[in-house]
Amino acid sequence: MLRTLIVDDERLARQAMRRLLAAHPSVEIVGEAETLDEAIAAIERTDPQLVFLDIELGSRGDGFDLLARLARPPLIVFVTAYAEYAVDAFAVSAVDYLLKPVEPERLAETLARVEQHMIRVLASSGQTVQGMIALRTPKQIVLAAPSEIAALRADGDFTHVYVADQPAVMILRTLGHFESLLPSPPFLRLGRSLIINRDRLRKIEAPSRAGARIVLQGITGPLELGRAATARLRELVSPDEI
């Protein structure tokens, strides 16, 4: 999900953008703001990946002032009724510049541009950017937020990454590479070959100390754990869960 904030000093404009974004299930609207100060507070509180930003935000400052006050601004798409600010907008590395009233087709182009921008940055850096991880296979690049990853299993120099409600993807990266990228907690390494997302753990079946089965939200069927992984799991979760 693309965590998105709407910043506009007009309530009707914010409502219109909400309606347009509702047609894109990959977008999660985490909040909205009316003024410069509200926008700064909302960005600090919600940590959005993308902001749809109006330029005129009242008497206390504009969209450019907002960017100047942020040490690490999220991706920005300006949304305004004034075409004359476009050059200045791209000078501050805006991903796109939309003129009001925004057309649905133009918004779809913008979201595709945002996704491609994130893919390029992630693929070139191999790191997390704006809270996303790029899972690169020979045929595609899958963007995933850490919260969407349920588990990772090592297979030699490859790693099977289980993104919730999607087929697992095989990535030419070691499990250690992903361990360095993913936050712990909630990600727990259960031995040499498995990392799980603790937040997605729904059930543990451990009929003996020799092994266990765990059910993770977003994965079809349980994952089998060996003796070492089961012992590690016992160390990391509360006793009443096993």
Side-chain angles (χ1 to χ4, degrees):
M1 298 291 284
L2 184 62
R3 296 172 52 81
T4 302
L5 181 73
I6 301 170
V7 179
D8 198 300
D9 65 344
E10 297 182 359
R11 180 177 59 85
L12 293 179
R14 297 195 303 272
Q15 290 177 347
M17 182 57 69
R18 276 186 173 273
R19 287 194 296 269
L20 289 168
L21 290 172
H24 299 272
S26 64
V27 174
E28 177 189 6
I29 300 175
V30 296
E32 57 183 62
E34 180 176 346
T35 67
L36 176 65
D37 291 338
E38 286 182 6
I40 292 172
I43 289 172
E44 292 176 349
R45 183 178 67 255
T46 64
D47 191 24
Q49 297 159 307
L50 173 65
V51 175
F52 285 97
L53 178 61
D54 190 12
I55 290 179
E56 296 193 352
L57 298 176
S59 61
R60 293 181 62 86
D62 59 22
F64 296 109
D65 295 321
L66 172 64
L67 295 183
R69 290 175 59 177
L70 297 174
R72 296 183 59 190
L75 299 179
I76 298 295
V77 171
F78 280 103
V79 186
T80 178
Y82 304 98
E84 59 265 29
Y85 295 113
V87 173
D88 293 333
F90 288 113
V92 293
S93 301
V95 179
D96 209 346
Y97 190 92
L98 297 175
L99 289 175
K100 298 177 182 178
V102 179
E103 297 293 331
E105 296 80 7
R106 184 67 180 87
L107 177 62
E109 292 176 4
T110 293
L111 292 174
R113 182 174 296 184
V114 168
E115 181 178 0
Q116 289 303 312
H117 174 85
M118 296 179 74
I119 287 174
R120 287 194 301 271
V121 174
L122 288 164
S124 63
S125 68
Q127 304 295 316
T128 57
V129 175
Q130 301 294 342
M132 304 291 280
I133 292 177
L135 305 173
R136 188 169 192 168
T137 74
K139 295 183 178 180
Q140 64 176 337
I141 297 177
V142 177
L143 285 178
S147 61
E148 297 174 312
I149 297 175
L152 307 95
R153 189 183 290 278
D155 186 358
D157 292 332
F158 292 83
T159 299
H160 297 273
V161 181
Y162 297 85
V163 179
D165 304 314
Q166 297 184 38
V169 291
M170 179 180 282
I171 309 297
L172 183 53
R173 292 282 191 175
T174 65
L175 196 64
H177 167 80
F178 289 104
E179 185 179 21
S180 69
L181 294 182
L182 295 169
S184 176
F187 286 90
L188 308 176
R189 184 154 186 174
L190 305 181
R192 292 182 297 175
S193 63
L194 182 65
I195 294 175
I196 67 168
N197 184 343
R198 174 66 180 80
D199 290 344
R200 289 185 170 272
L201 184 61
R202 294 294 177 265
K203 185 177 181 182
I204 302 172
E205 299 176 355
S208 71
R209 304 191 68 85
R213 292 183 296 273
I214 59 174
V215 175
L216 298 169
Q217 182 185 16
I219 296 181
T220 301
L223 292 181
E224 300 286 340
L225 305 184
R227 182 187 296 272
T230 300
R232 179 61 175 157
L233 183 64
R234 291 179 185 275
E235 295 174 1
L236 297 174
V237 302
S238 60
D240 59 346
E241 293 182 271
I242 302 180

